[in-house]
Amino acid sequence: MPTIFFDNTYIKLGDDFYVKTHPSPVPNPSLIQFNKEFAEELGLADSVLSTEEGVAYFAGNKILEGSEPLAMAYAGHQFGGFSPQLGDGRAVHLGEIVSPKGVRYDIQLKGSGRTYFSRGGDGKSALGPVLREYLVSEAMAKLAVPTTRALAAVTSGEEVARMQLVAGGILTRVATSFVRVGTFQYFYAQQNEQAVKKLADYVIARNYPELLNVANPYESFLKAVIDRQAALIAQWMQLGFIHGVMNTDNVSIVGETLDYGPCAFMDDFAHNRCYSSVDRNHRYAYANQPSIGQWNLVRLAESLLPLLGEGDVDPEGAVKIAQDALHDYKTLYENYWLTGMRAKIGLQQAKASDKKLIDDLLDVMASNKADFTLTFYYLSQLDSVPSDKDHKLQKLFANNDLLEVWLGKWRERLSVEQLSDADRQANMLAKNPVVIPRNHQIEAAIRAAEDHNDFSVFHALHKVLQSPYALAEGNETYRLPPKAEEVVLQTFCGT
Ligand code: AMP
Ligand code: MG
């Protein structure tokens, strides 16, 4: 059995950055799912992790040789208020491996017991959130959205106390970095400029190596993070995805979707849709995500000010550099959004009127409570002239008058494009998934697992989400929006 080679570099930053810790053993773990395909990418498919013994490692009952478990320190703005010390209260960082392709990954257990940063919490996770993160993060990967990945999920064999006693679970999650905007804020708030610099140098060398030799590495780093966040949030918006807890401690420095909590994909479209039970003021509602993204990046820029002001740059100069970089966010975001949305409605050329055309569609969808995913999926199948195929789309809209007006404008716009219907439809179907992890289906998978110890619903849903652009015959129910009695109005952290 090949050994797993850990190559831990974060631990070398020094003990300001983490607290060494150990996962807490659990009584009777059992494997729910091992992600063989991703394990292959990581070079772990032939390791002990893919054997029966794997479950002991995924449960934290055994520690792999070379792993140096720790809990990372970080701060963060939560719903606008600053917490100077959060940290991994429910995650244990096992270490780093380098994949056969040379990509360095962090591996963590989530829900494996108390750490130095747990405060009042138990450091554990209920089974529901483990299944939810597994399903949604792996669906995101298949939708080509940057994300942390799920390597394995296990039940712990013990109950955890939430609103009531519920089954516990542990997720093994993997990222190209678990450093957050909040990690920079942690040291900035302590006025520990040296640590801010050390952290920036570490992240640049590891995740932005192209910036190592540029003239202004920290300015370029800030700009690169801004660019990745703009691209990421545009992708969320294009899929109707609502993160739900865009606190700065949940904003990845490498632009991956991080910390899946009360996240959700929208069914019927509303600009201000918000599912999270903890987001009382709807701060992280769908339409707010782009601007909250910028607000979060302002917090990063603040933390980097000491570095932006190095050398000949005075403090005002540093502020100016930060402001200019942040100013670009809006344009970057809008470009990413518009490029992606154009593709979703089948446009290859760029015309000034396109933004209005897309905004109009979203408004018509909102006023008719049309299903987000199916609107784009059915639109992808339409011809450039009206036909019977229009009916499927029409049925999604409560009132068709505005839709008809919009389709007329869309077809007029299509007439300027050069593609045949068949080619355009193929392009659109490659951008508009037929299946996304819908709340009611995730809920059904969780209910079956928690209430009946039945993981078949989870496995079936996971399988379907592996190919979001093609639905096999017999799987039609996965395409459908919830029936009235299935609608999930609120999602919970539940951890
Ligand atoms: P989140 O926004 O859900 O990613 O978590 C916010 C903070 O709360 C992080 O510092 C977590 O480590 C911590 N936290 C969440 N749940 C627990 C738990 N069950 N036990 C200890 N800490 C937790
Ligand atoms: Mg978090």
Side-chain angles (χ1 to χ4, degrees):
M1 188 62 50
T3 320
I4 297 171
F5 289 103
F6 279 90
D7 179 27
N8 305 322
T9 55
Y10 201 75
I11 202 162
K12 294 186 184 139
L13 292 178
D15 52 18
D16 288 355
F17 286 76
Y18 53 81
V19 176
K20 284 189 185 173
T21 191
H22 252 74
S24 311
V26 295
N28 186 21
S30 160
L31 186 70
I32 304 166
Q33 177 103 5
F34 171 60
N35 189 345
K36 187 119 204 289
E37 187 188 284
F38 185 51
E40 255 155 42
E41 232 177 287
L42 296 175
L44 300 175
D46 298 323
S47 73
V48 66
L49 293 178
S50 69
T51 69
E52 264 179 34
E53 229 186 306
V55 65
Y57 296 101
F58 295 132
N61 285 359
K62 277 190 184 174
I63 297 298
L64 290 159
E65 198 187 322
S67 162
E68 298 170 280
L70 55 88
M72 293 167 82
Y74 53 82
H77 274 89
Q78 299 184 302
F79 298 95
F82 186 63
S83 298
Q85 182 175 294
L86 292 166
D88 288 329
R90 159 195 49 170
V92 173
H93 193 85
L94 296 179
E96 300 155 41
I97 57 152
V98 179
S99 78
K101 283 195 183 146
V103 182
R104 181 176 293 273
Y105 289 96
D106 287 345
I107 305 179
Q108 293 195 343
L109 299 181
K110 186 170 175 183
S112 59
R114 285 182 56 76
T115 75
Y116 175 82
F117 300 107
S118 295
R119 292 167 289 160
D122 59 4
K124 311 244 173 185
S125 178
L127 179 56
V130 169
L131 299 179
R132 170 181 283 276
E133 177 156 352
Y134 200 112
L135 289 169
V136 182
S137 64
E138 285 306 297
M140 290 294 253
K142 296 293 173 181
L143 290 162
V145 181
T147 178
T148 62
R149 300 292 303 267
L151 179 63
V154 300
T155 52
S156 61
E158 66 180 5
E159 293 190 313
V160 297
R162 293 298 178 259
M163 303 287 263
Q164 55 202 50
L165 285 179
V166 288
I170 299 166
L171 181 80
T172 306
R173 63 176 186 173
V174 179
T176 59
S177 174
F178 278 108
V179 172
R180 301 133 194 276
V181 165
T183 321
F184 284 89
Q185 290 183 284
Y186 177 78
F187 294 113
Y188 178 69
Q190 296 172 5
Q191 296 177 314
N192 188 345
E193 284 179 24
Q194 237 190 333
V196 174
K197 191 177 169 74
K198 216 172 179 182
L199 183 63
D201 289 341
Y202 176 82
V203 175
I204 290 171
R206 175 171 166 181
N207 302 102
Y208 296 86
E210 66 282 8
L211 305 182
L212 275 172
N213 296 311
V214 300
N216 306 302
Y218 303 121
E219 177 182 350
S220 303
F221 169 54
L222 174 61
K223 285 183 173 168
V225 179
I226 288 172
D227 187 84
R228 286 197 200 180
Q229 280 297 325
L232 177 70
I233 296 172
Q235 278 193 289
W236 292 353
M237 299 302 278
Q238 285 153 17
L239 290 164
F241 176 78
I242 307 164
H243 181 284
V245 214
M246 289 174 71
N247 293 332
T248 57
D249 50 302
N250 295 337
V251 178
S252 153
I253 206 69
V254 294
E256 293 173 355
T257 311
L258 170 67
D259 279 9
Y260 290 85
C263 60
F265 280 81
M266 216 177 328
D267 295 306
D268 61 295
F269 181 71
H271 292 285
N272 283 314
R273 180 74 76 219
C274 176
Y275 290 98
S276 167
S277 58
V278 288
D279 189 4
R280 291 200 184 85
N281 299 320
H282 293 199
R283 178 183 171 88
Y284 301 135
Y286 174 76
N288 292 349
Q289 295 187 121
S291 58
I292 282 291
Q294 186 173 36
W295 192 93
N296 288 338
L297 290 161
V298 175
R299 308 284 82 79
L300 174 67
E302 275 166 7
S303 306
L304 295 177
L305 279 177
L307 307 186
L308 298 174
E310 277 188 342
D312 317 332
V313 183
D314 57 21
E316 274 135 64
V319 171
K320 174 87 172 61
I321 291 170
Q323 278 172 342
D324 288 348
L326 290 163
H327 182 78
D328 290 344
Y329 169 85
K330 195 161 180 279
T331 316
L332 286 166
Y333 169 77
E334 279 171 1
N335 283 338
Y336 283 122
W337 180 83
L338 193 53
T339 304
M341 292 305 290
R342 274 199 184 102
K344 278 178 84 74
I345 64 165
L347 306 180
Q348 287 191 317
Q349 299 176 25
K351 303 271 179 224
S353 57
D354 293 345
K355 182 173 183 311
K356 172 137 185 7
L357 185 67
I358 296 158
D359 283 338
D360 284 351
L361 173 61
L362 292 171
D363 288 343
V364 179
M365 287 162 64
S367 60
N368 285 284
K369 299 191 168 27
D371 185 79
F372 186 92
T373 305
L374 288 185
T375 295
F376 289 101
Y377 179 66
Y378 291 154
L379 186 69
S380 308
Q381 300 169 2
L382 300 196
D383 295 335
S384 51
V385 289
S387 76
D388 287 354
K389 294 180 187 169
D390 294 11
H391 295 332
K392 267 206 283 192
L393 181 65
Q394 285 161 349
K395 274 205 244 163
L396 295 178
F397 288 68
N399 176 332
N400 280 320
D401 299 350
L402 291 173
L403 174 66
E404 289 311 312
V405 175
W406 188 85
L407 284 175
K409 286 189 202 153
W410 176 63
R411 288 184 161 124
E412 208 179 297
R413 174 66 183 80
L414 283 183
S415 66
V416 200
E417 298 278 322
Q418 308 298 331
L419 281 184
S420 69
D421 272 358
D423 287 346
R424 174 186 47 77
Q425 287 159 355
N427 287 349
M428 288 174 74
L429 287 168
K431 294 287 174 206
N432 294 315
V434 53
V435 53
I436 39 102
R438 291 186 185 267
N439 288 323
H440 69 292
Q441 284 156 348
I442 297 173
E443 193 55 31
I446 293 173
R447 290 275 55 83
E450 282 192 355
D451 301 345
H452 307 291
N453 198 31
D454 170 9
F455 290 88
S456 64
V457 185
F458 165 84
H459 288 301
L461 177 56
H462 176 255
K463 184 151 182 261
V464 167
L465 292 170
Q466 294 289 289
S467 16
Y469 299 99
L471 200 55
E473 238 173 87
N475 280 338
E476 275 76 20
T477 49
Y478 291 100
R479 180 173 46 90
L480 301 178
K483 297 187 189 115
E485 67 274 17
E486 293 172 331
V487 172
V488 173
L489 293 173
Q490 273 200 325
T491 50
F492 300 84
C493 289
T495 48

